[in-house]
Amino acid sequence: MKTIKLIFSRISFYFLSNKLIFIMFLLGGIVCSTSFIYFYGNQLSTKKSEVSTDSSYYTYTLKFDEPTSYYEIKNSSLLNSEIIEDVMAVHYLLLDDLPKEFNKNNYIDYYLRVCTQINNKHKLFSKMGRSEFYDEEIKNGKNVIILPNCDDIFSLAQGDTVTLSGREYEVIGVNTFIDNFYIPSNTFDKCGYSIDEITIYTTERMSRTENSQFIANLHAEFPQSDLIESPSESYKAADSYFIGDFFLIMCEFIISALSFMFLIKFLIDKSNLENIIYLIVGATKRKLFLILILENIIISGIIGIISIAIHLITYNQFFVYFNVYEGLQYSIMDYIIIFISIIILSCITAIPFIISCLKNSIIINKNKYN
């Protein structure tokens, strides 16, 4: 307790003896710490992953050990929940199923599949012609087809016919995938295609917790399947960059802090006579070093609290407009990590300045101030 009182009295001395320098130091620390908060949110991959709109955060793919029926997928309660935008059912094609226009020698280059969007809501991208089916085509199970974007179909045009699995289809367009034929959902059902794989598209991205729960529900609903794609891979990839990203942000903070840390050295020098007295009356350099470090912890802690308060209070009115990613939010845990980091990094930055103040012997310091 006495040490803490001593430290606060020294900080009070810094302020009273050099108000301008002390205020400049505080302002420099607040600017530096506020920048650290900004980069923490906008540069860390783990934070960016929380608001990324990449399609990988909305997509789950299941591969079945044994083919399942269209009816089972269509009537799954889990896949009919509000969070599901669409389900793409996939049937793997055999060599004999392919249209005559396809070069059988090239089949190994394309893992061709016939697909259908069960809810017809997920948007496809068009290379040529249409990339969606009309309601009438879906309802009546019309034999219309959207072709994959591969070299073998370049000779085909909209309105031509192709034969797939023994059925003739009218070509209405070409999609951007190189291996997917698309037909209406009722046509897929009428053909009696089994389902080897499904890709699930969600209406909104799930948090890490929600993602884990949804995956558990998928495994419970379809135990004889393997999850081959999910947002978990994207979250893991973001986590793998955390150390590198955080190290870069720490370096940015330290470099910024060094630009005004000479001010605290000036203040410490001003109290050097007091430091010499401590040494003369028996305090060790280790004890004095501890006092100076505790001073820095308290000052940087005050700066951290002020910076976090400024960021928290003005975030929606000011800082949100400078975010690289829309919807970026800071949690309580984020602010705790930031606060601790500011203190630790401030101490690391201050150590060289503190050591320089303690490097002289007691006799040299005593002669200096005689």
Side-chain angles (χ1 to χ4, degrees):
M1 184 59 71
K2 289 181 180 180
T3 303
I4 298 298
K5 287 181 179 179
L6 174 63
I7 291 169
F8 275 104
S9 70
R10 286 168 62 89
I11 294 173
S12 176
F13 169 76
Y14 293 155
F15 174 71
L16 295 175
S17 61
N18 296 279
K19 292 186 178 66
L20 179 60
I21 298 296
F22 190 80
I23 291 172
M24 287 173 61
F25 173 75
L26 283 182
L27 290 176
I30 290 169
V31 170
C32 186
S33 298
T34 306
S35 300
F36 179 79
I37 297 171
Y38 171 81
F39 286 118
Y40 177 92
N42 287 271
Q43 200 164 317
L44 278 183
S45 296
T46 49
K47 291 299 293 180
K48 290 187 286 187
S49 71
E50 294 175 6
V51 293
S52 173
T53 57
D54 188 88
S55 61
S56 63
Y57 290 99
Y58 298 78
T59 306
Y60 298 79
T61 299
L62 284 175
K63 185 176 181 179
F64 296 102
D65 297 336
E66 295 292 335
T68 189
S69 68
Y70 178 86
Y71 177 85
E72 182 180 355
I73 300 301
K74 175 75 173 174
N75 294 283
S76 166
S77 58
L78 179 61
L79 300 183
N80 281 286
S81 58
E82 292 182 357
I83 199 171
I84 305 301
E85 178 199 30
D86 212 338
V87 178
M88 181 177 77
V90 178
H91 173 78
Y92 300 152
L93 293 169
L94 300 174
L95 194 61
D96 292 337
D97 293 327
L98 296 177
K100 61 181 176 56
E101 289 81 5
F102 281 77
N103 185 344
K104 301 297 192 288
N105 295 326
N106 291 341
Y107 179 67
I108 195 168
D109 295 330
Y110 304 106
Y111 195 63
L112 296 165
R113 305 105 58 84
V114 59
C115 312
T116 189
Q117 310 277 25
I118 291 178
N119 299 330
N120 198 40
K121 291 181 180 179
H122 185 70
K123 182 177 176 59
L124 296 175
F125 293 96
S126 173
K127 177 77 173 181
M128 179 190 76
R130 283 195 280 138
S131 60
E132 72 284 329
F133 301 107
Y134 296 140
D135 291 340
E136 181 187 357
E137 292 172 338
I138 298 170
K139 181 179 179 181
N140 297 327
K142 295 283 189 180
N143 284 3
V144 290
I145 194 167
I146 300 172
L147 298 176
N149 178 31
C150 56
D151 295 341
D152 291 330
I153 53 83
F154 281 169
S155 60
L156 296 172
Q158 195 171 355
D160 289 347
T161 59
V162 295
T163 301
L164 186 72
S165 300
R167 285 176 175 261
E168 280 198 352
Y169 293 86
E170 178 189 349
V171 176
I172 64 169
V174 177
N175 72 88
T176 54
F177 293 103
I178 66 170
D179 53 1
N180 288 357
F181 292 94
Y182 287 93
I183 60 177
S185 54
N186 283 348
T187 307
F188 188 98
D189 187 25
K190 277 176 25 179
C191 290
Y193 283 126
S194 59
I195 297 175
D196 299 292
E197 180 184 304
I198 59 172
T199 297
I200 303 159
Y201 304 101
T202 60
T203 55
E204 58 188 55
R205 59 166 296 155
M206 301 185 197
S207 67
R208 291 171 183 255
T209 303
E210 291 168 338
N211 171 63
S212 298
Q213 183 59 55
F214 185 70
I215 290 174
N217 293 340
L218 283 175
H219 285 310
E221 184 88 0
F222 306 105
Q224 304 300 317
S225 66
D226 296 316
L227 185 68
I228 59 176
E229 181 185 4
S230 76
S232 298
E233 281 70 40
S234 297
Y235 282 126
K236 288 176 183 176
D239 291 342
S240 68
Y241 290 110
F242 177 81
I243 294 177
D245 290 344
F246 198 70
F247 178 76
L248 183 61
I249 298 171
M250 289 192 299
C251 290
E252 291 168 351
F253 179 91
I254 291 173
I255 292 170
S256 301
L258 286 172
S259 64
F260 63 85
M261 194 56 74
F262 72 92
L263 295 174
I264 197 65
K265 183 179 185 301
F266 175 82
L267 295 174
I268 293 174
D269 285 343
K270 281 291 183 180
S271 65
N272 223 13
L273 181 59
E274 183 179 342
N275 296 338
I276 294 167
I277 294 172
Y278 293 155
L279 293 172
I280 291 173
V281 298
T284 62
K285 283 191 176 183
R286 183 177 178 180
K287 179 70 173 179
L288 187 55
F289 178 84
L290 179 61
I291 290 172
L292 294 174
I293 284 292
L294 288 174
E295 276 182 10
N296 190 76
I297 290 174
I298 291 172
I299 293 173
S300 58
I302 293 170
I303 289 173
I305 290 171
I306 294 172
S307 301
I308 290 171
I310 291 172
H311 187 268
L312 193 59
I313 293 169
T314 63
Y315 182 72
N316 291 326
Q317 292 74 32
F318 179 74
F319 287 100
V320 71
Y321 298 107
F322 297 93
N323 285 337
V324 178
Y325 298 93
E326 186 178 352
L328 187 66
Q329 296 294 326
Y330 291 77
S331 66
I332 294 175
M333 183 54 66
D334 288 329
Y335 284 120
I336 291 173
I337 293 172
I338 288 167
F339 179 72
I340 294 172
S341 298
I342 288 172
I343 292 176
I344 293 174
L345 294 174
S346 296
C347 290
I348 292 172
T349 309
I351 285 174
F353 296 92
I354 293 173
I355 291 174
S356 70
C357 294
L358 299 176
K359 65 181 180 180
N360 291 334
S361 66
I362 296 176
I363 295 174
I364 292 175
N365 283 322
K366 180 176 178 296
N367 292 335
K368 182 178 176 182
Y369 286 94
N370 273 340

